[in-house]
Amino acid sequence: ETGVTQTPRHLVMGMTNKKSLKCEQHLGHNAMYWYKQSAKKPLELMFVYSLEERVENNSVPSRFSPECPNSSHLFLHLHTLQPEDSALYLCASSQGSWTANYGYTFGSGTRLTVV
Amino acid sequence: GQQLNQSPQSMFIQEGEDVSMNCTSSSIFNTWLWYKQDPGEGPVLLIALYKAGELTSNGRLTAQFGITRKDSFLNISASIPSDVGIYFCAGRIIRAGNMLTFGGGTRLMVKP
């Protein structure tokens, strides 16, 4: 248990479905992240919420929509996904600061399969 | 953006052997981190380095922050089967705030 909890652990969805991934951190951190990890590819940063400011990777398709209602919860809303979106989606949190030198704490991930 | 070149991409070694992997960049980093990811899990922090030249150990693991601040290496001594996984380096530059840049990972396989 890392203090970052992701649900569900596994998700199979059709291309017309709408689903949401949930992440919750119990570490008192103030920054949260979504990463996509595909087979044989580097970790891809999708979205960051840090000190209430959202930063996103402009290459992420609009079918992925993040929501961060407070500093402890992060969601990734999914709709009309494609098979190539199948991947492990990792949530991470950190003590976001321009001067802090802390690493990220990752959750166990949600294994998403789009059929 | 900043890129971290991590090598090797994969290693298949015999149990008991020592392992070495490294990350290099054209950018200067002020923090280097090494993570391990077990199959089906998220990455877990192994070692954090904050000063150029710093050498830090965690059990059989040793990592160093390069003097030029553009590289770092991780050594694993006397490997065991549970060392199997993907090892990631990550670095942070000052102007990027708390944003980390990750290497592509080194997949380690250990033969008993």
Side-chain angles (χ1 to χ4, degrees):
Chain A
E1 179 59 50
T2 64
V4 179
T5 303
Q6 289 187 243
T7 54
R9 288 295 307 271
H10 301 273
L11 178 62
V12 179
M13 60 186 288
M15 289 188 284
T16 58
N17 291 159
K18 289 185 180 180
K19 297 286 184 182
S20 296
L21 310 185
K22 179 182 177 182
C23 178
E24 184 174 0
Q25 59 97 1
H26 310 278
L27 302 169
H29 290 167
N30 60 6
M32 297 186 77
Y33 312 80
W34 279 117
Y35 277 87
K36 177 183 178 182
Q37 187 177 33
S38 303
K40 300 182 180 180
K41 288 186 179 180
L43 287 168
E44 177 186 352
L45 178 64
M46 300 178 73
F47 301 102
V48 180
Y49 279 87
S50 178
L51 301 173
E52 300 182 354
E53 179 182 355
R54 171 175 148 179
V55 176
E56 61 188 87
N57 182 340
N58 290 329
S59 67
V60 177
S62 59
R63 55 187 183 268
F64 295 92
S65 174
E67 178 188 1
C68 189
N70 54 60
S71 60
S72 299
H73 295 85
L74 184 65
F75 296 90
L76 187 63
H77 303 300
L78 317 172
H79 64 97
T80 59
L81 294 191
Q82 303 298 311
E84 61 264 28
D85 297 323
S86 299
L88 181 68
Y89 288 84
L90 291 163
C91 172
S93 71
S94 72
Q95 190 59 28
S97 165
W98 289 97
T99 57
N101 276 323
Y102 304 116
Y104 297 174
T105 302
F106 284 88
S108 297
T110 294
R111 173 67 63 186
L112 174 66
T113 304
V114 181
V115 297
Chain B
Q2 305 81 35
Q3 277 194 319
L4 286 182
N5 300 308
Q6 186 170 349
S7 65
Q9 288 187 343
S10 63
M11 302 180 72
F12 189 36
I13 63 169
Q14 191 76 35
E15 181 178 0
E17 289 183 354
D18 295 343
V19 173
S20 184
M21 60 192 77
N22 68 83
C23 275
T24 61
S25 175
S26 58
S27 300
I28 294 176
F29 288 84
N30 69 343
T31 302
W32 282 98
L33 306 167
W34 284 92
Y35 285 85
K36 182 194 177 193
Q37 184 177 23
D38 290 326
E41 298 294 330
V44 174
L45 183 64
L46 297 174
I47 293 178
L49 304 160
Y50 302 115
K51 295 180 181 178
E54 180 180 356
L55 185 71
T56 298
S57 294
N58 178 3
R60 293 178 295 106
L61 278 61
T62 302
Q64 184 160 30
F65 193 139
I67 292 291
T68 64
R69 297 171 64 187
K70 294 181 179 181
D71 61 347
S72 177
F73 72 74
L74 175 70
N75 288 342
I76 306 173
S77 63
S79 59
I80 59 178
S82 62
D83 290 333
V84 165
I86 304 175
Y87 292 79
F88 292 97
C89 64
R92 178 188 291 113
I93 61 174
I94 294 175
R95 69 172 187 269
N98 200 37
M99 205 70 72
L100 288 179
T101 300
F102 283 86
T106 296
R107 183 179 297 273
L108 178 63
M109 293 159 280
V110 180
K111 183 178 180 182

